Amino acid sequence: MSKITVAYWSGTGNTEAMAEAVGEGIKAAGKECAVVSISDISASDLEGETSFALGCPAMGAEVLEEGEMEPFVEEVEKFAKGKNIALFGSYGWGDGEWMREWESRMLDAGANVLNREGLICHETPDDDALEDCRSLGKQLASL
Ligand SMILES: Cc1cc2nc3c(=O)[nH]c(=O)nc-3n(C[C@H](O)[C@H](O)[C@H](O)COP(=O)(O)O)c2cc1C
């Protein structure tokens, strides 16, 4: 059975909590999954997977985290064509601009982005947001 990776960057744990819930959804749908910080893998580990999820909060001024996540995503863009990719992340005071940008980058790279504009949640995910994350995981697992 193919494994689905949920790779995330998280500074204060909010996006990490979303990642764990996406992973729960994948497992609930009967697929194997690995929920991993991007510090613990390299982007090329995803190259052989047909479906995966990426999570990152809004950082800087409506951008991805620049030290680790931005270079990671630049690598993913090189092989994203034809992949099923779910995007998610937490934000604070913005309107989701970072996620819209991220989604359009992935679409430009030829990916099938599952959830248009990604799944975003304000700060710490509440029960509804966690349920949305589980649904996203199930959706990813069903492809
Ligand atoms: C350095 C820094 C920059 C941030 N920039 C933004 C931003 O541009 N827009 C926004 O909506 N939230 C911004 N935030 C808020 C975070 O996205 C928010 O707190 C989020 O829940 C953090 O997720 P995490 O716990 O996974 O790190 C920023 C937070 C930090 C620490």
Side-chain angles (χ1 to χ4, degrees):
M1 193 197 302
S2 62
K3 180 193 64 174
I4 298 176
T5 298
V6 181
Y8 67 90
W9 185 95
S10 183
T12 56
N14 296 333
T15 304
E16 182 178 9
M18 295 177 79
E20 294 293 348
V22 173
E24 286 167 19
I26 294 169
K27 283 185 201 142
K31 291 257 172 89
E32 276 182 40
C33 98
V35 180
V36 287
S37 159
I38 60 150
S39 311
D40 297 331
I41 59 166
S42 65
S44 58
D45 294 335
L46 301 176
E47 199 165 350
E49 300 191 16
T50 51
S51 303
F52 51 86
L54 299 175
C56 182
M59 295 295 284
E62 295 298 329
V63 292
L64 296 171
E65 187 277 328
E66 290 169 289
E68 288 183 287
M69 193 70 192
E70 174 58 34
F72 190 94
V73 168
E74 284 171 16
E75 286 303 305
V76 171
E77 281 176 305
K78 294 176 189 167
F79 58 79
K81 192 168 166 48
K83 308 279 191 199
N84 301 312
I85 304 181
L87 303 177
F88 62 92
S90 176
Y91 69 97
W93 50 83
D95 69 350
E97 183 187 342
W98 104 103
M99 186 57 82
R100 292 194 295 277
E101 292 285 323
W102 192 8
E103 185 223 6
S104 72
R105 281 175 67 176
M106 292 293 113
L107 290 174
D108 287 350
N112 166 35
V113 181
L114 256 68
N115 46 330
R116 288 297 173 105
E117 285 195 21
L119 176 56
I120 65 175
C121 106
H122 185 246
E123 298 292 355
T124 306
D126 61 13
D127 287 347
D128 285 348
L130 292 174
E131 198 47 43
D132 288 344
C133 292
R134 290 185 198 103
S135 298
L136 182 63
K138 286 180 193 160
Q139 198 189 336
L140 190 62
S142 72
L143 294 173

